[in-house]
Amino acid sequence: MNTAFILMAQYERAVIPLETVCKDYFQHLTPTTFMRKSLAGEIKLPVIRIDEGQKAARGIMLSDLAKWIDDRHAEAVEEIRKIHG
């Protein structure tokens, strides 16, 4: 299964608004908290600004989100392998 392909079908855009990513994948975080955690390196998912201004729209590249999901999956598979041999 290709995660990026599935996300493209779901979102139909290359950059997903930060609010949407938070709503769909980080329900426990506000966009502001997500930004803080991303900048601190706690969430290894880069946030881009569409423009230079402070109030510019922010989003996550679809390819970055797909890689992040795939990395989380790989970590979970490795954890299960360690537990169950």
Side-chain angles (χ1 to χ4, degrees):
M1 174 170 36
N2 186 326
T3 306
F5 180 75
I6 292 168
L7 290 174
M8 183 56 81
Q10 180 180 358
Y11 294 111
E12 299 179 339
R13 61 182 77 187
V15 179
I16 307 162
L18 181 58
E19 293 79 13
T20 302
V21 172
C22 286
K23 181 183 69 146
D24 291 349
Y25 293 96
F26 298 91
Q27 298 90 358
H28 61 291
L29 299 177
T30 65
T32 302
T33 303
F34 181 94
M35 280 287 298
R36 185 174 38 80
K37 287 181 172 278
S38 176
L39 290 171
E42 295 175 36
I43 298 174
K44 294 183 180 10
L45 195 54
V47 178
I48 64 169
R49 288 180 191 227
I50 302 305
D51 196 6
E52 297 294 322
Q54 282 278 345
K55 295 186 179 187
R58 295 180 180 118
I60 306 291
M61 286 293 299
L62 184 138
S63 57
D64 291 336
L65 181 58
K67 181 181 180 324
W68 183 84
I69 291 170
D70 289 342
D71 290 348
R72 297 301 72 70
H73 175 256
E75 288 173 9
V77 168
E78 181 62 20
E79 185 176 334
I80 290 293
R81 187 195 64 74
K82 286 179 182 177
I83 292 171
H84 297 288

